[in-house]
Coordinates of all heavy atoms in Angstrom, one line a residue:
D24 N -95.6 -14.2 -24.9 CA -96.2 -12.9 -25.3 C -95.5 -11.7 -24.7 O -94.9 -11.9 -23.7 CB -97.7 -13.1 -25.2 CG -98.5 -12.5 -24.0 OD1 -97.8 -12.4 -22.9 OD2 -99.6 -12.2 -24.1
Q25 N -95.7 -10.5 -25.2 CA -95.1 -9.4 -24.8 C -95.5 -9.0 -23.3 O -94.6 -8.5 -22.5 CB -95.3 -8.2 -25.7 CG -94.3 -7.1 -25.4 CD -92.9 -7.4 -25.4 OE1 -92.3 -8.2 -26.2 NE2 -92.2 -6.9 -24.4
K26 N -96.8 -9.1 -23.0 CA -97.2 -8.7 -21.6 C -96.5 -9.6 -20.6 O -96.0 -9.1 -19.6 CB -98.7 -8.9 -21.5 CG -99.5 -7.8 -22.1 CD -101.0 -8.0 -21.7 CE -101.8 -7.0 -22.4 NZ -103.3 -7.2 -22.1
T27 N -96.4 -10.9 -20.8 CA -95.8 -11.8 -19.9 C -94.3 -11.5 -19.8 O -93.7 -11.4 -18.7 CB -95.9 -13.3 -20.4 OG1 -97.3 -13.6 -20.5 CG2 -95.3 -14.3 -19.4
R28 N -93.6 -11.2 -20.9 CA -92.2 -10.8 -20.9 C -92.0 -9.5 -20.1 O -91.0 -9.5 -19.4 CB -91.8 -10.6 -22.4 CG -90.3 -10.3 -22.5 CD -89.5 -11.5 -22.3 NE -88.1 -11.1 -22.3 CZ -87.1 -12.0 -22.3 NH1 -87.4 -13.3 -22.3 NH2 -85.9 -11.6 -22.3
T29 N -92.9 -8.6 -20.2 CA -92.7 -7.3 -19.5 C -92.8 -7.6 -18.0 O -92.1 -7.0 -17.2 CB -93.8 -6.3 -20.0 OG1 -93.6 -6.1 -21.4 CG2 -93.7 -5.0 -19.2
I30 N -93.8 -8.5 -17.6 CA -93.9 -8.7 -16.1 C -92.7 -9.5 -15.7 O -92.1 -9.1 -14.6 CB -95.2 -9.6 -15.9 CG1 -96.4 -8.8 -16.2 CG2 -95.2 -10.2 -14.5 CD1 -97.7 -9.6 -16.3
L31 N -92.2 -10.4 -16.4 CA -90.9 -11.2 -16.0 C -89.8 -10.2 -15.9 O -89.0 -10.3 -15.0 CB -90.7 -12.3 -17.0 CG -91.7 -13.4 -17.0 CD1 -91.5 -14.4 -18.1 CD2 -91.6 -14.2 -15.6
E32 N -89.6 -9.3 -16.8 CA -88.6 -8.3 -16.8 C -88.7 -7.5 -15.5 O -87.7 -7.2 -14.9 CB -88.5 -7.4 -18.0 CG -88.0 -8.1 -19.3 CD -86.5 -8.3 -19.2 OE1 -85.8 -7.8 -18.4 OE2 -86.0 -9.1 -20.1
T33 N -89.9 -7.1 -15.1 CA -90.2 -6.3 -14.0 C -89.7 -7.0 -12.7 O -89.1 -6.3 -11.8 CB -91.6 -5.9 -13.9 OG1 -92.0 -5.2 -15.0 CG2 -91.9 -5.1 -12.6
Y34 N -89.9 -8.3 -12.7 CA -89.5 -9.1 -11.5 C -88.2 -9.9 -11.7 O -88.0 -10.8 -10.9 CB -90.7 -10.0 -11.1 CG -91.9 -9.2 -10.6 CD1 -92.9 -8.9 -11.5 CD2 -91.9 -8.6 -9.3 CE1 -94.0 -8.1 -11.0 CE2 -93.0 -7.9 -8.9 CZ -94.0 -7.6 -9.8 OH -95.1 -6.9 -9.4
R35 N -87.4 -9.5 -12.7 CA -86.2 -10.3 -12.9 C -85.3 -10.4 -11.7 O -84.8 -11.5 -11.4 CB -85.5 -9.5 -14.1 CG -84.2 -10.1 -14.5 CD -83.7 -9.5 -15.7 NE -82.4 -9.1 -15.5 CZ -81.7 -8.5 -16.4 NH1 -82.3 -8.0 -17.5 NH2 -80.4 -8.2 -16.2
N36 N -85.0 -9.4 -11.0 CA -84.1 -9.5 -9.9 C -84.6 -10.4 -8.8 O -83.9 -11.3 -8.3 CB -83.8 -8.1 -9.3 CG -83.0 -7.2 -10.2 OD1 -82.3 -7.7 -11.0 ND2 -83.0 -5.9 -9.9
F37 N -85.9 -10.4 -8.6 CA -86.6 -11.3 -7.6 C -86.4 -12.7 -8.1 O -86.1 -13.6 -7.3 CB -88.0 -10.8 -7.5 CG -88.8 -11.8 -6.6 CD1 -88.8 -11.8 -5.2 CD2 -89.6 -12.7 -7.2 CE1 -89.5 -12.7 -4.5 CE2 -90.4 -13.6 -6.5 CZ -90.3 -13.6 -5.1
L38 N -86.6 -13.0 -9.3 CA -86.6 -14.3 -9.8 C -85.2 -14.9 -9.8 O -84.9 -16.1 -9.6 CB -87.1 -14.3 -11.2 CG -88.7 -14.0 -11.4 CD1 -89.0 -13.9 -12.9 CD2 -89.4 -15.2 -10.8
L39 N -84.2 -14.0 -10.1 CA -82.8 -14.5 -10.3 C -82.1 -14.5 -9.0 O -81.0 -15.3 -8.9 CB -82.1 -13.6 -11.3 CG -82.6 -13.7 -12.7 CD1 -81.8 -12.8 -13.6 CD2 -82.6 -15.1 -13.3
E40 N -82.4 -13.7 -8.0 CA -81.7 -13.6 -6.8 C -81.3 -14.8 -6.1 O -80.1 -15.1 -5.8 CB -82.4 -12.6 -5.7 CG -81.5 -12.3 -4.6 CD -82.3 -11.2 -3.8 OE1 -83.4 -11.5 -3.4 OE2 -81.7 -10.3 -3.4
P41 N -82.1 -15.8 -5.9 CA -81.7 -17.1 -5.2 C -80.9 -18.0 -6.1 O -80.1 -18.7 -5.6 CB -83.0 -17.8 -4.9 CG -84.1 -17.2 -5.8 CD -83.6 -15.8 -6.1
L42 N -80.9 -17.8 -7.4 CA -80.0 -18.5 -8.3 C -78.7 -17.9 -8.4 O -77.7 -18.7 -8.5 CB -80.7 -18.6 -9.6 CG -82.1 -19.3 -9.7 CD1 -82.8 -19.0 -11.0 CD2 -81.8 -20.8 -9.6
E43 N -78.6 -16.6 -8.4 CA -77.3 -15.9 -8.5 C -76.5 -15.8 -7.2 O -75.4 -15.7 -7.2 CB -77.5 -14.5 -9.2 CG -78.1 -14.6 -10.5 CD -77.2 -15.2 -11.6 OE1 -76.0 -15.2 -11.4 OE2 -77.6 -15.7 -12.6
D44 N -77.3 -15.7 -6.2 CA -76.6 -15.4 -4.8 C -77.2 -16.4 -3.7 O -78.3 -16.0 -3.2 CB -76.6 -14.0 -4.5 CG -75.9 -13.7 -3.3 OD1 -75.3 -14.5 -2.6 OD2 -76.0 -12.5 -2.8
G45 N -76.6 -17.5 -3.5 CA -77.2 -18.3 -2.5 C -77.2 -17.8 -1.1 O -78.0 -18.2 -0.3
E46 N -76.5 -16.7 -0.8 CA -76.6 -16.0 0.5 C -77.9 -15.3 0.7 O -78.2 -15.0 1.8 CB -75.4 -15.0 0.6 CG -74.1 -15.6 0.4 CD -73.6 -16.4 1.6 OE1 -73.9 -16.1 2.7 OE2 -73.1 -17.5 1.4
T47 N -78.6 -15.1 -0.4 CA -79.9 -14.4 -0.2 C -81.1 -15.3 0.3 O -82.2 -14.9 0.6 CB -80.3 -13.7 -1.5 OG1 -80.5 -14.7 -2.5 CG2 -79.3 -12.6 -1.9
I48 N -80.8 -16.6 0.2 CA -81.8 -17.5 0.7 C -82.0 -17.6 2.1 O -81.0 -17.9 2.8 CB -81.6 -18.9 0.1 CG1 -81.5 -19.0 -1.4 CG2 -82.6 -19.9 0.5 CD1 -80.9 -20.2 -2.0
L49 N -83.2 -17.1 2.7 CA -83.3 -16.9 4.1 C -83.6 -18.2 4.8 O -83.3 -18.4 6.0 CB -84.4 -15.9 4.3 CG -84.1 -14.5 3.7 CD1 -85.3 -13.6 3.9 CD2 -82.8 -13.9 4.3
D50 N -84.4 -19.1 4.1 CA -84.9 -20.3 4.9 C -84.7 -21.5 4.0 O -85.6 -21.8 3.2 CB -86.4 -20.1 5.2 CG -86.9 -21.2 6.1 OD1 -86.1 -22.2 6.4 OD2 -88.1 -21.1 6.5
Y51 N -83.6 -22.2 4.2 CA -83.3 -23.3 3.4 C -84.3 -24.5 3.6 O -84.5 -25.4 2.8 CB -81.9 -23.8 3.6 CG -80.8 -22.9 2.9 CD1 -80.1 -22.0 3.6 CD2 -80.6 -23.1 1.6 CE1 -79.2 -21.2 3.0 CE2 -79.7 -22.3 0.9 CZ -79.0 -21.4 1.6 OH -78.0 -20.6 1.0
D52 N -84.9 -24.5 4.7 CA -85.9 -25.5 5.0 C -87.2 -25.4 4.1 O -87.8 -26.4 3.8 CB -86.5 -25.4 6.5 CG -85.4 -25.8 7.6 OD1 -84.5 -26.5 7.2 OD2 -85.5 -25.3 8.6
E53 N -87.4 -24.2 3.6 CA -88.5 -23.9 2.7 C -88.1 -23.8 1.2 O -88.9 -23.5 0.3 CB -89.2 -22.6 3.1 CG -89.8 -22.6 4.5 CD -91.0 -23.4 4.6 OE1 -91.8 -23.5 3.7 OE2 -91.2 -24.1 5.7
S54 N -86.8 -24.1 0.9 CA -86.2 -23.9 -0.4 C -85.8 -25.2 -1.0 O -85.6 -26.2 -0.3 CB -85.0 -23.0 -0.2 OG -84.3 -22.8 -1.5
L55 N -85.8 -25.2 -2.3 CA -85.3 -26.4 -3.1 C -83.8 -26.4 -3.1 O -83.2 -27.3 -3.6 CB -85.9 -26.6 -4.4 CG -85.8 -25.4 -5.5 CD1 -84.8 -25.9 -6.5 CD2 -87.1 -25.1 -6.1
Y56 N -83.2 -25.3 -2.7 CA -81.8 -25.1 -2.7 C -81.2 -25.4 -1.3 O -81.8 -25.2 -0.4 CB -81.3 -23.6 -3.1 CG -82.1 -23.2 -4.4 CD1 -83.0 -22.1 -4.3 CD2 -81.9 -23.8 -5.6 CE1 -83.7 -21.7 -5.4 CE2 -82.5 -23.3 -6.7 CZ -83.4 -22.3 -6.6 OH -84.2 -21.9 -7.7
T57 N -80.0 -25.9 -1.4 CA -79.2 -26.2 -0.1 C -78.0 -25.2 0.0 O -77.6 -24.7 -1.0 CB -78.8 -27.6 0.0 OG1 -77.8 -27.9 -1.1 CG2 -80.0 -28.6 -0.1
P58 N -77.5 -25.0 1.2 CA -76.5 -24.0 1.4 C -75.2 -24.3 0.6 O -74.4 -23.4 0.3 CB -76.2 -24.0 2.9 CG -77.4 -24.6 3.6 CD -78.0 -25.5 2.5
D59 N -74.9 -25.6 0.4 CA -73.7 -26.0 -0.3 C -73.8 -26.0 -1.8 O -72.8 -26.4 -2.5 CB -73.3 -27.4 0.3 CG -74.3 -28.5 -0.1 OD1 -75.5 -28.1 -0.2 OD2 -73.9 -29.7 -0.2
M60 N -74.9 -25.6 -2.4 CA -75.1 -25.7 -3.8 C -74.3 -24.6 -4.5 O -74.4 -23.4 -4.1 CB -76.5 -25.5 -4.2 CG -77.4 -26.7 -4.1 SD -79.0 -26.4 -4.6 CE -79.6 -28.1 -5.0
S61 N -73.7 -24.9 -5.6 CA -73.0 -23.9 -6.5 C -74.2 -23.2 -7.2 O -75.3 -23.7 -7.3 CB -72.0 -24.6 -7.4 OG -72.7 -25.4 -8.3
R62 N -73.8 -22.1 -7.9 CA -74.7 -21.4 -8.8 C -75.2 -22.4 -9.9 O -76.4 -22.5 -10.2 CB -74.0 -20.3 -9.5 CG -74.8 -19.5 -10.5 CD -74.1 -18.4 -11.1 NE -74.8 -17.6 -12.1 CZ -75.0 -18.0 -13.3 NH1 -74.5 -19.1 -13.8 NH2 -75.8 -17.2 -14.1
T63 N -74.4 -23.2 -10.5 CA -74.7 -24.2 -11.5 C -75.8 -25.2 -10.9 O -76.7 -25.5 -11.6 CB -73.5 -24.9 -12.0 OG1 -72.6 -23.9 -12.6 CG2 -73.8 -26.0 -13.1
E64 N -75.5 -25.7 -9.7 CA -76.4 -26.6 -9.1 C -77.8 -26.0 -8.8 O -78.8 -26.7 -8.9 CB -75.8 -27.1 -7.8 CG -74.7 -28.1 -8.1 CD -73.9 -28.4 -6.8 OE1 -73.7 -27.5 -5.9 OE2 -73.3 -29.6 -6.8
R65 N -77.8 -24.7 -8.5 CA -79.1 -24.0 -8.1 C -79.9 -23.9 -9.5 O -81.0 -24.1 -9.5 CB -78.8 -22.7 -7.5 CG -78.4 -22.8 -6.1 CD -78.4 -21.4 -5.4 NE -77.5 -20.5 -6.0 CZ -76.3 -20.3 -5.7 NH1 -75.7 -21.0 -4.9 NH2 -75.6 -19.3 -6.3
Y66 N -79.2 -23.6 -10.6 CA -79.9 -23.6 -11.9 C -80.4 -25.0 -12.3 O -81.5 -25.1 -12.8 CB -79.0 -22.9 -12.9 CG -79.2 -21.4 -13.0 CD1 -78.3 -20.6 -12.4 CD2 -80.2 -20.9 -13.8 CE1 -78.4 -19.3 -12.5 CE2 -80.3 -19.5 -13.9 CZ -79.4 -18.7 -13.3 OH -79.5 -17.3 -13.4
Q67 N -79.7 -25.9 -12.0 CA -80.1 -27.3 -12.3 C -81.3 -27.7 -11.5 O -82.3 -28.3 -12.0 CB -78.9 -28.3 -12.1 CG -77.9 -28.2 -13.1 CD -76.6 -29.0 -12.7 OE1 -76.4 -29.5 -11.6 NE2 -75.7 -29.2 -13.7
A68 N -81.3 -27.4 -10.2 CA -82.4 -27.6 -9.3 C -83.7 -26.8 -9.8 O -84.8 -27.4 -9.8 CB -82.1 -27.3 -7.9
F69 N -83.5 -25.6 -10.2 CA -84.5 -24.8 -10.7 C -85.1 -25.4 -12.0 O -86.4 -25.6 -12.1 CB -84.1 -23.4 -11.0 CG -85.2 -22.5 -11.7 CD1 -86.1 -21.8 -10.9 CD2 -85.2 -22.4 -13.1 CE1 -87.1 -21.1 -11.6 CE2 -86.1 -21.6 -13.7 CZ -87.1 -20.9 -12.9
R70 N -84.3 -25.8 -12.9 CA -84.7 -26.4 -14.1 C -85.6 -27.7 -13.9 O -86.6 -27.9 -14.4 CB -83.6 -26.7 -15.0 CG -83.9 -27.5 -16.4 CD -82.8 -28.0 -17.1 NE -81.8 -27.0 -17.3 CZ -81.8 -26.1 -18.4 NH1 -82.8 -26.2 -19.3 NH2 -80.8 -25.2 -18.6
S71 N -85.0 -28.5 -13.0 CA -85.7 -29.8 -12.7 C -87.0 -29.5 -12.1 O -88.1 -30.1 -12.4 CB -84.8 -30.6 -11.8 OG -85.5 -31.8 -11.3
S72 N -87.1 -28.6 -11.1 CA -88.4 -28.2 -10.4 C -89.4 -27.7 -11.3 O -90.5 -28.1 -11.4 CB -88.1 -27.3 -9.3 OG -89.3 -26.9 -8.7
M73 N -89.0 -26.8 -12.2 CA -89.9 -26.1 -13.2 C -90.3 -27.2 -14.2 O -91.5 -27.1 -14.6 CB -89.2 -24.9 -13.8 CG -89.1 -23.8 -12.8 SD -90.6 -23.2 -12.1 CE -91.4 -22.5 -13.5
D74 N -89.5 -27.9 -14.7 CA -89.9 -29.0 -15.7 C -91.0 -29.9 -15.1 O -91.9 -30.3 -15.7 CB -88.7 -29.8 -16.1 CG -87.8 -29.1 -17.0 OD1 -88.1 -28.0 -17.5 OD2 -86.7 -29.6 -17.3
Q75 N -90.8 -30.2 -13.8 CA -91.8 -31.1 -13.1 C -93.1 -30.3 -13.0 O -94.2 -30.9 -13.2 CB -91.2 -31.5 -11.8 CG -92.2 -32.4 -11.0 CD -91.6 -32.8 -9.7 OE1 -90.5 -32.3 -9.2 NE2 -92.3 -33.8 -9.0
R76 N -93.0 -29.1 -12.6 CA -94.2 -28.3 -12.4 C -95.0 -28.2 -13.8 O -96.2 -28.2 -13.8 CB -93.9 -26.9 -11.8 CG -93.6 -27.0 -10.4 CD -93.1 -25.7 -9.8 NE -92.6 -25.8 -8.6 CZ -92.3 -24.8 -7.7 NH1 -92.5 -23.6 -8.1 NH2 -91.8 -25.0 -6.5
V77 N -94.3 -27.9 -14.9 CA -94.9 -27.7 -16.2 C -95.5 -29.0 -16.6 O -96.7 -29.0 -17.0 CB -93.8 -27.3 -17.3 CG1 -94.4 -27.4 -18.6 CG2 -93.4 -25.8 -16.9
S78 N -94.8 -30.1 -16.4 CA -95.4 -31.3 -16.9 C -96.6 -31.9 -16.1 O -97.4 -32.5 -16.6 CB -94.3 -32.4 -17.0 OG -93.9 -32.7 -15.7
S79 N -96.6 -31.4 -14.8 CA -97.7 -31.9 -14.1 C -98.9 -30.9 -14.0 O -100.0 -31.2 -13.5 CB -97.3 -32.1 -12.5 OG -96.9 -30.9 -11.9
S80 N -98.7 -29.7 -14.6 CA -99.8 -28.7 -14.6 C -100.9 -29.2 -15.5 O -100.7 -29.6 -16.7 CB -99.3 -27.4 -15.1 OG -100.3 -26.5 -15.2
K81 N -102.1 -29.1 -14.9 CA -103.4 -29.5 -15.8 C -104.1 -28.3 -16.4 O -104.8 -28.5 -17.3 CB -104.4 -30.2 -14.8 CG -103.8 -31.4 -14.1 CD -103.6 -32.6 -14.9 CE -103.2 -33.8 -14.1 NZ -101.9 -34.3 -14.5
N82 N -103.7 -27.2 -15.9 CA -104.3 -25.9 -16.4 C -103.5 -25.4 -17.5 O -102.3 -25.0 -17.3 CB -104.5 -24.9 -15.2 CG -105.0 -23.6 -15.7 OD1 -104.7 -23.0 -16.6 ND2 -106.0 -23.1 -14.8
P83 N -104.0 -25.3 -18.7 CA -103.2 -24.8 -19.8 C -102.7 -23.4 -19.7 O -101.5 -23.1 -20.1 CB -104.2 -24.8 -21.1 CG -105.4 -25.5 -20.5 CD -105.4 -25.6 -19.1
N84 N -103.4 -22.5 -19.0 CA -102.9 -21.2 -18.7 C -101.8 -21.2 -17.8 O -100.7 -20.4 -18.0 CB -104.0 -20.3 -18.3 CG -105.0 -20.0 -19.4 OD1 -104.7 -19.9 -20.5 ND2 -106.3 -19.9 -19.0
A85 N -101.9 -21.9 -16.7 CA -100.8 -22.0 -15.7 C -99.6 -22.6 -16.4 O -98.5 -22.2 -16.1 CB -101.3 -22.9 -14.5
K86 N -99.8 -23.7 -17.2 CA -98.7 -24.3 -17.9 C -97.9 -23.3 -18.7 O -96.7 -23.3 -18.7 CB -99.1 -25.4 -18.8 CG -98.0 -26.2 -19.4 CD -98.6 -27.4 -20.2 CE -98.7 -28.6 -19.2 NZ -98.6 -29.9 -19.7
K87 N -98.6 -22.4 -19.5 CA -98.0 -21.5 -20.3 C -97.2 -20.5 -19.5 O -96.1 -20.0 -19.9 CB -99.1 -20.7 -21.1 CG -98.6 -19.7 -22.1 CD -99.8 -19.1 -22.9 CE -99.3 -18.1 -23.9 NZ -100.5 -17.5 -24.6
V88 N -97.7 -20.0 -18.3 CA -97.1 -19.1 -17.5 C -95.8 -19.7 -16.9 O -94.7 -19.1 -16.8 CB -98.0 -18.6 -16.3 CG1 -97.2 -17.8 -15.3 CG2 -99.1 -17.7 -16.9
L89 N -95.9 -20.9 -16.4 CA -94.8 -21.7 -15.9 C -93.7 -21.8 -16.9 O -92.5 -21.7 -16.6 CB -95.2 -23.0 -15.3 CG -96.0 -23.0 -14.1 CD1 -96.6 -24.4 -13.8 CD2 -95.2 -22.5 -12.9
Q90 N -94.0 -22.2 -18.1 CA -93.0 -22.3 -19.2 C -92.4 -21.0 -19.5 O -91.1 -21.0 -19.7 CB -93.7 -22.8 -20.5 CG -94.1 -24.3 -20.4 CD -95.0 -24.7 -21.6 OE1 -95.8 -24.0 -22.1 NE2 -94.8 -25.9 -22.1
A91 N -93.2 -20.0 -19.6 CA -92.5 -18.6 -19.8 C -91.6 -18.2 -18.8 O -90.5 -17.8 -19.0 CB -93.7 -17.5 -19.9
M92 N -92.0 -18.5 -17.5 CA -91.1 -18.1 -16.4 C -89.8 -19.0 -16.4 O -88.7 -18.5 -16.3 CB -91.8 -18.3 -15.0 CG -91.0 -17.8 -13.9 SD -91.8 -17.7 -12.3 CE -91.8 -19.5 -11.9
R93 N -90.0 -20.3 -16.6 CA -88.8 -21.2 -16.7 C -87.9 -20.7 -17.8 O -86.6 -20.6 -17.6 CB -89.3 -22.6 -16.9 CG -88.1 -23.6 -17.1 CD -88.5 -24.9 -17.8 NE -89.1 -24.5 -19.1 CZ -89.9 -25.4 -19.8 NH1 -90.3 -26.5 -19.2 NH2 -90.3 -25.0 -20.9
D94 N -88.4 -20.5 -19.0 CA -87.6 -20.2 -20.1 C -86.9 -18.8 -19.9 O -85.7 -18.6 -20.2 CB -88.4 -20.1 -21.4 CG -88.9 -21.5 -21.8 OD1 -88.5 -22.5 -21.2 OD2 -89.9 -21.5 -22.6
F95 N -87.6 -17.9 -19.3 CA -87.0 -16.5 -19.0 C -85.8 -16.6 -18.1 O -84.8 -16.1 -18.3 CB -88.1 -15.6 -18.4 CG -87.5 -14.3 -18.0 CD1 -87.3 -13.2 -19.0 CD2 -87.3 -14.0 -16.7 CE1 -86.8 -12.1 -18.5 CE2 -86.8 -12.8 -16.2 CZ -86.5 -11.8 -17.2
V96 N -86.0 -17.3 -17.0 CA -85.0 -17.4 -15.9 C -83.8 -18.2 -16.5 O -82.6 -17.8 -16.3 CB -85.5 -18.1 -14.7 CG1 -84.4 -18.6 -13.8 CG2 -86.5 -17.2 -14.0
L97 N -84.0 -19.3 -17.3 CA -82.9 -20.0 -17.8 C -82.1 -19.3 -18.9 O -81.0 -19.8 -19.2 CB -83.4 -21.4 -18.3 CG -83.9 -22.3 -17.2 CD1 -84.5 -23.6 -17.8 CD2 -82.8 -22.6 -16.2
E98 N -82.7 -18.2 -19.4 CA -81.8 -17.4 -20.3 C -80.6 -16.9 -19.7 O -79.6 -16.6 -20.3 CB -82.7 -16.2 -20.8 CG -83.8 -16.5 -21.8 CD -84.6 -15.3 -22.1 OE1 -84.1 -14.1 -21.9 OE2 -85.7 -15.5 -22.6
F99 N -80.6 -16.8 -18.3 CA -79.5 -16.2 -17.6 C -78.5 -17.3 -17.0 O -77.5 -17.0 -16.4 CB -80.0 -15.3 -16.4 CG -80.9 -14.2 -16.8 CD1 -82.3 -14.3 -17.0 CD2 -80.3 -13.0 -17.2 CE1 -83.0 -13.3 -17.5 CE2 -81.1 -11.9 -17.7 CZ -82.5 -12.1 -17.8
E100 N -78.8 -18.6 -17.3 CA -78.1 -19.6 -16.8 C -76.6 -19.6 -17.2 O -75.7 -19.9 -16.4 CB -78.7 -21.0 -17.2 CG -78.0 -22.2 -16.6 CD -78.7 -23.5 -16.9 OE1 -79.6 -23.5 -17.8 OE2 -78.4 -24.5 -16.3
N101 N -76.4 -19.2 -18.4 CA -74.9 -19.2 -18.9 C -74.2 -17.9 -18.7 O -73.1 -17.8 -19.1 CB -74.9 -19.6 -20.4 CG -75.3 -21.1 -20.5 OD1 -75.0 -21.9 -19.7 ND2 -76.1 -21.4 -21.5
N102 N -74.9 -16.9 -18.1 CA -74.3 -15.6 -17.8 C -73.7 -15.8 -16.4 O -74.2 -16.4 -15.5 CB -75.4 -14.5 -17.6 CG -76.1 -14.2 -18.9 OD1 -75.7 -14.7 -20.0 ND2 -77.1 -13.4 -18.8
D103 N -72.5 -15.1 -16.3 CA -72.0 -15.2 -14.9 C -72.6 -14.0 -14.0 O -73.4 -13.2 -14.6 CB -70.5 -15.1 -14.9 CG -69.9 -13.7 -15.3 OD1 -70.6 -12.7 -15.2 OD2 -68.7 -13.7 -15.7
Q104 N -72.4 -14.0 -12.7 CA -73.0 -13.1 -11.9 C -72.8 -11.8 -12.2 O -73.7 -10.9 -12.1 CB -72.5 -13.4 -10.4 CG -73.0 -14.7 -9.9 CD -72.4 -15.0 -8.5 OE1 -71.5 -14.3 -8.1 NE2 -72.9 -16.0 -7.9
S105 N -71.6 -11.3 -12.7 CA -71.3 -10.0 -13.0 C -72.2 -9.5 -14.2 O -72.6 -8.4 -14.3 CB -69.9 -9.8 -13.3 OG -69.5 -10.6 -14.3
D106 N -72.4 -10.4 -15.2 CA -73.2 -10.1 -16.4 C -74.7 -9.8 -15.9 O -75.3 -8.9 -16.3 CB -73.3 -11.2 -17.4 CG -72.0 -11.3 -18.1 OD1 -71.2 -10.4 -18.1 OD2 -71.8 -12.4 -18.8
A107 N -75.2 -10.7 -15.0 CA -76.6 -10.5 -14.6 C -76.8 -9.2 -13.8 O -77.7 -8.5 -13.9 CB -77.0 -11.7 -13.7
A108 N -75.7 -8.9 -12.9 CA -75.8 -7.7 -12.1 C -75.7 -6.4 -13.0 O -76.3 -5.5 -12.8 CB -74.7 -7.7 -11.1
A109 N -74.8 -6.5 -14.0 CA -74.6 -5.4 -14.8 C -75.8 -5.0 -15.6 O -76.0 -3.8 -15.9 CB -73.4 -5.7 -15.8
S110 N -76.6 -5.9 -16.0 CA -77.8 -5.7 -16.8 C -79.0 -5.4 -16.0 O -80.1 -5.2 -16.6 CB -78.0 -6.8 -17.8 OG -78.2 -8.0 -17.1
S111 N -78.9 -5.3 -14.7 CA -80.1 -5.0 -13.9 C -80.3 -3.5 -13.7 O -79.4 -2.7 -13.9 CB -80.1 -5.7 -12.6 OG -78.9 -6.0 -12.0

């Protein structure tokens, strides 16, 4: 829905930053990403984690939000870093 999309657009940089730039991850102990991951590997880890969260969610509203966030973020998976930065 449009409200959800607007919220996701507002927080786009926050959502994409750890996927686009591994250098921005401050605490790898608390992250699903590791320092040696490529951008592609970070997106794969994000996809896997979000798919698991969506499938295990019992709350229909939470599931809808998780799906929207996952789908929004994954729209940028095939863009290179310069494309993502240029459109922010």
Side-chain angles (χ1 to χ4, degrees):
D24 95 333
Q25 190 56 42
K26 282 184 181 180
T27 303
R28 181 74 185 192
T29 300
I30 292 167
L31 292 168
E32 285 288 349
T33 299
Y34 293 100
R35 178 171 133 185
N36 290 341
F37 172 78
L38 293 168
L39 295 180
E40 188 174 50
L42 295 163
E43 295 295 336
D44 183 3
E46 299 293 317
T47 63
I48 300 166
L49 300 175
D50 188 356
Y51 282 102
D52 292 336
E53 300 286 324
S54 177
L55 60 107
Y56 311 114
T57 61
D59 61 331
M60 283 181 154
S61 68
R62 178 182 181 277
T63 299
E64 291 168 325
R65 289 191 301 272
Y66 270 95
Q67 289 170 346
F69 174 83
R70 177 190 305 276
S71 176
S72 174
M73 290 302 292
D74 286 348
Q75 182 179 7
R76 290 176 186 189
V77 168
S78 67
S79 67
S80 178
K81 305 290 186 235
N82 181 313
N84 292 325
K86 184 176 277 210
K87 186 176 177 181
V88 169
L89 289 168
Q90 287 171 323
M92 186 172 78
R93 178 199 58 202
D94 296 346
F95 175 80
V96 168
L97 292 176
E98 288 176 18
F99 300 92
E100 183 175 14
N101 294 322
N102 295 351
D103 69 21
Q104 291 176 348
S105 59
D106 287 346
S110 59
S111 26

